[in-house]
Amino acid sequence: MPVPQDTTTERLRLDGTEFVLRLTSRDSRLGLLALHGGVEGGTAELAEEVAARTGATCLIFSQPSPPRTHISSHLLAETPSRTLETFLSAVSLTISLHGHLRPATPDAIFLGGTNREAARTLAAALRALTPSFTPVTDLTEIPSGLRGLHPRNPVNLTREGGVQIELPLTARTQGLRDVPPEDVVAGVTEGVRRLGA
């Protein structure tokens, strides 16, 4: 039976960059977030697919026009947005999907954010279902810029905080397509389901 949902959109501008926010609201304490849709290929697509499979709420930031610019997550939270406020008040735990291009760790999936228990739950599901990637939860092993610990980062602004998942390119795209591999979709989906249990 389909989960009832409501979709709203909002446009906003930050430092000359236009964003379109699309919020798909469902009755869930869990929220999927992709702040760099189109900039970090496959993250928006992964968030939408996992949210659809689990019944989680989903918020996607996208940039409709090139050139597309990577703007730090905490700066996006400082821009007044009724859509982001709605998301943050509606869910209590956020899973924020990002992409990294670290050549030294091409198979590492880094799980940062302030909710360390949730990070370990997601890592266990990824470890079981995505054997070609290595989930990393030890913050000392995660590059400082990928830890997702800034207090104004949207992933940390919900009541239970959240998990920032940094995915290498091959975990979020296939060839030239922004389509995440099925094993990664399955791993994140299973982790979100465990968090919702």
Side-chain angles (χ1 to χ4, degrees):
M1 183 176 183
V3 177
Q5 64 182 47
D6 178 47
T7 302
T8 58
T9 60
E10 176 186 12
R11 289 182 177 267
L12 60 84
R13 185 172 291 274
L14 174 62
D15 291 340
T17 300
E18 184 181 13
F19 290 87
V20 175
L21 282 63
R22 187 174 69 257
L23 174 64
T24 303
S25 299
R26 300 180 179 93
D27 186 18
S28 174
R29 61 180 271 278
L30 301 177
L32 273 292
L33 182 62
L35 294 170
H36 304 117
V39 178
E40 296 174 347
T43 56
E45 293 78 4
L46 180 58
E48 289 179 317
E49 183 61 26
V50 172
R53 293 186 185 190
T54 61
T57 288
C58 182
L59 175 58
I60 305 295
F61 281 64
S62 61
Q63 297 176 35
S65 304
R68 293 179 174 87
T69 306
H70 185 282
I71 294 179
S72 297
S73 300
H74 70 276
L75 295 177
L76 294 173
E78 293 170 7
T79 303
S81 165
R82 66 181 185 281
T83 304
L84 180 59
E85 289 177 7
T86 298
F87 174 85
L88 294 173
S89 63
V91 303
S92 58
L93 176 64
T94 300
I95 297 92
S96 188
L97 300 171
H98 298 256
H100 77 82
L101 295 171
R102 301 292 169 125
T105 52
D107 301 321
I109 297 177
F110 299 115
L111 295 102
T114 57
N115 192 319
R116 305 314 303 147
E117 182 179 351
R120 288 186 288 273
T121 297
L122 284 160
L126 287 165
R127 198 170 289 112
L129 295 171
T130 59
S132 55
F133 297 97
T134 304
V136 178
T137 58
D138 185 336
L139 290 173
T140 65
E141 296 179 10
I142 299 175
S144 60
L146 304 181
R147 292 175 185 163
L149 297 177
H150 193 288
R152 291 299 302 160
N153 186 328
V155 73
N156 300 319
L157 296 179
T158 47
R159 291 182 293 282
E160 298 176 52
V163 182
Q164 179 162 305
I165 304 179
E166 293 275 357
L167 299 140
L169 187 63
T170 54
R172 52 192 167 87
T173 64
Q174 297 182 72
L176 298 177
R177 300 180 303 143
D178 289 342
V179 178
E182 177 55 33
D183 62 339
V184 175
V185 178
V188 178
T189 296
E190 175 60 21
V192 171
R193 284 181 177 147
R194 292 182 188 184
L195 289 172

